[in-house]
Amino acid sequence: MGHTIVNPFDLSGKVAIVTGSNAGLGAAMACALAAAGCDIVGVSRADAGDTPARVAATGRRFADVRADLASVAPVDDIVGAAVEAFGHVDVLVNNAGIIRRESALDFTQDDWDAVMDVNLKSLFFLSQAVARRFVEQQSGGKIINIASMLSFQGGIRVASYTASKSGVLGLTRLLANEWAAQGINVNAIAPGYMATANTAALRDDAQRNEAILGRIPAARWGTPDDLAGPVVFLASSASDYVHGHTLAVDGGWLAR
Ligand code: NAP
């Protein structure tokens, strides 16, 4: 009898939708999923950046989908475009997100609504559209939400961001409860302090930068590539019995 060596992290033939795939963490996760075997449906607002070329360099295909997730209007078209390009959908990474900084006393409704709409409302309705597709395909699938340290902590001067990311942790559990029996894994990744455009303001403030660095056990800011292993794990059969979990990838920040 011969042996078949099975790699539980192999994603060959899978199709992953990644929102906000043009920059930062989304670009790194799209490339990591491609390196593991996925064709990528990259969702971006204006420009796909260098992600199509980076995906092509792995030998996988990239479908460029333009959508503004400030509203839920494009969610069905995103799923439709993925199916049209590659025939099926197996993975959704809800990465697109924004942040607005202001004291709670001065926080505006615009800063509230803008963040909640992208970070929470569109995340939910795109998940719904993709899960409907998973059910139709009778395939199961993987949904990976991008949470935050502020899914666990309060933060300061980021009221709508904290509300949205705390909501992402709760929704990840709810959706896992509803969909686990249909072979759909819903989990989240909570990045710690990662060096991207999202945190440029923090890193530019010498005092904040030093305070944050001094509190990270790993003694460095995270890089987008630090999410490569975790996202591939949660997209793969290696995590088939992991449901509703939010995995911190934070250099030990929460352990402190
Ligand atoms: P980033 O570089 O600012 O990337 C954000 C991504 O979201 C961009 O691709 C952006 O597209 C996209 N996006 C924003 N609004 C959108 C909209 N209305 N429609 C479609 N796409 C939209 O920041 P990042 O750090 O990589 O953030 C990615 C995710 O990680 C976010 O959910 C963020 O909250 C989360 N996160 C980041 C950190 C960190 O330390 N960096 C920590 C915890 C969690 P455009 O280029 O068009 O704006």
Side-chain angles (χ1 to χ4, degrees), residues 90-112:
D90 305 288
V91 179
L92 167 66
V93 181
N94 280 307
N95 165 77
I98 58 172
I99 191 164
R100 298 276 177 91
R101 299 178 194 277
E102 185 52 270
S103 68
L105 285 177
D106 294 325
F107 215 82
T108 64
Q109 291 192 30
D110 179 63
D111 284 346
W112 181 270

Side-chain angles (χ1 to χ4, degrees), residues 6 12 29-30 36 50 66 91 121 133 135 163 167 187 191 211 256:
V6 177
S12 300
M29 290 189 286
D50 61 1
R66 298 299 163 86
V91 179
K121 187 175 181 182
R133 179 70 203 177
V135 170
N187 292 292
R256 186 89 179 231

Side-chain angles (χ1 to χ4, degrees), residues 85-168:
F86 300 132
H88 55 105
V89 183
D90 305 288
V91 179
L92 167 66
V93 181
N94 280 307
N95 165 77
I98 58 172
I99 191 164
R100 298 276 177 91
R101 299 178 194 277
E102 185 52 270
S103 68
L105 285 177
D106 294 325
F107 215 82
T108 64
Q109 291 192 30
D110 179 63
D111 284 346
W112 181 270
D113 290 339
V115 171
M116 294 298 275
D117 284 350
V118 177
N119 294 15
L120 198 54
K121 187 175 181 182
S122 292
L123 174 147
F124 173 77
F125 284 100
L126 183 56
S127 298
Q128 179 190 64
V130 168
R132 286 174 174 164
R133 179 70 203 177
F134 290 160
V135 170
E136 194 183 320
Q137 291 174 177
Q138 298 187 312
S139 61
K142 305 277 181 176
I143 297 178
I144 301 155
N145 297 322
I146 301 308
S148 166
M149 293 296 96
L150 301 190
S151 303
F152 302 96
Q153 302 179 305
I156 190 162
R157 301 187 75 250
V158 286
S160 54
Y161 189 81
T162 298
S164 71
K165 294 298 185 176
S166 297
V168 167

